[in-house]
Amino acid sequence: MNLPFLTRKPHVAVIRLQGMIATGRGLSDASTAPLIERAFAKKPAAVALVVNSPGGSPVQSSLIAARIRRLAEEKRIPVHAFVEDMAASGGYWLACAGDDIWVDPSSLVGSIGVIFASFGFDQIMARQGIERRVVTAGRSKSFADPFLPQKPEDIERLRAIQTPIHQAFIDHVKARRGTRLAEADLFNADIWVGQQAVDLGLADGIGHLVPKIKALYGDKTRLKLYGPKKG
């Protein structure tokens, strides 16, 4: 017996990934895991990621994206990523968890690189007659000390740390975007805007969440938001 009024409307789970990516109070695998697991468990027609992040921890970016991909492949659920203000650095790592990426004309996309930033206080200390006294067990324990003059060996060591992290980022983008990527230098931490990112293959088109989802799954598709509980 066919009861069309009992037919369930398709729904798309929407996961908002917003803010800095970091352990503690930022986006992290621990904070997003319950949302992601619940979203995929409800058997949606698809999962939509709403990404608005300047980046942060490469490890947490990798863990969150890996969880999304594992569930998507296990349950055979398509994933669509929608970029709001930006998907930069780790934010773009998250966006690449989508099977396709949609951006606003003014979205900032890219920054595929790794950064270490610090300050140098050695000259101020010298002018004030302050002596830095450090005792370590281990030659590298105080490397990149901001209270000491910068050393060439410290810079070399930092770049040796950054290189494999950068390569992991590059490998992730290439694995997810594949032949869509343009033959250009996309991995020098540049940022592109909207259509520029589309032209370079970093995104698939200009599109917003609601109209794009309804175009893909029908006007009657329901959107169910999964976000952190309000205190």
Side-chain angles (χ1 to χ4, degrees):
M1 183 177 180
N2 184 22
L3 299 175
F5 56 87
L6 293 180
T7 302
R8 297 182 63 184
K9 297 178 182 178
H11 84 276
V12 171
V14 180
I15 304 172
R16 177 166 287 278
L17 301 173
Q18 179 172 314
M20 288 291 296
I21 304 168
T23 54
R25 302 185 70 176
L27 283 175
S28 69
D29 184 52
S31 67
T32 59
L35 311 177
I36 295 169
E37 297 283 347
R38 287 204 308 271
F40 278 94
K42 297 297 183 179
K43 298 181 180 179
V47 169
L49 309 175
V50 179
V51 181
N52 195 349
S53 174
S57 165
V59 174
Q60 295 303 315
S61 302
S62 177
L63 290 172
I64 296 169
R67 183 181 297 276
I68 293 168
R69 291 314 313 159
R70 174 177 58 79
L71 291 169
E73 291 163 13
E74 285 178 1
K75 299 177 181 295
R76 298 183 180 180
I77 295 174
V79 179
H80 309 285
F82 294 87
V83 179
E84 292 188 331
D85 297 88
M86 68 173 60
S89 195
Y92 186 66
W93 196 315
L94 298 183
C96 282
D99 298 306
D100 46 40
I101 300 173
W102 304 92
V103 298
D104 181 86
S106 299
S107 296
L108 300 178
V109 178
S111 188
I112 304 170
V114 182
I115 186 172
F116 170 84
S118 182
F119 296 92
F121 301 102
D122 54 295
Q123 294 184 25
I124 294 176
M125 292 174 64
R127 285 198 296 269
Q128 297 299 321
I130 302 171
E131 180 185 0
R132 174 72 162 161
R133 296 176 180 174
V134 180
V135 179
T136 66
R139 182 182 58 188
S140 298
K141 193 63 179 176
S142 65
F143 96 101
D145 189 325
F147 297 103
L148 296 175
Q150 193 170 50
K151 302 174 185 176
E153 57 267 30
D154 287 351
I155 297 174
E156 184 178 350
R157 176 60 179 152
L158 285 169
R159 286 180 175 156
I161 293 171
Q162 291 175 324
T163 297
I165 299 173
H166 190 202
Q167 189 59 53
F169 195 172
I170 292 170
D171 292 344
H172 173 66
V173 173
K174 287 183 174 180
R176 295 298 303 147
R177 300 300 297 169
T179 56
R180 288 175 285 187
L181 294 173
E183 294 293 332
D185 185 7
L186 304 177
F187 308 116
N188 59 9
D190 277 340
I191 292 179
W192 293 274
V193 181
Q195 188 61 46
Q196 295 174 341
V198 175
D199 295 340
L200 291 169
L202 295 170
D204 294 282
I206 303 297
H208 294 168
L209 174 65
V210 174
K212 178 56 67 175
I213 290 299
K214 290 194 172 184
L216 291 172
Y217 298 99
D219 288 337
K220 295 184 179 180
T221 303
R222 295 178 297 113
L223 300 180
K224 183 171 177 56
L225 178 63
Y226 290 83
K229 293 181 179 180
K230 295 182 179 179

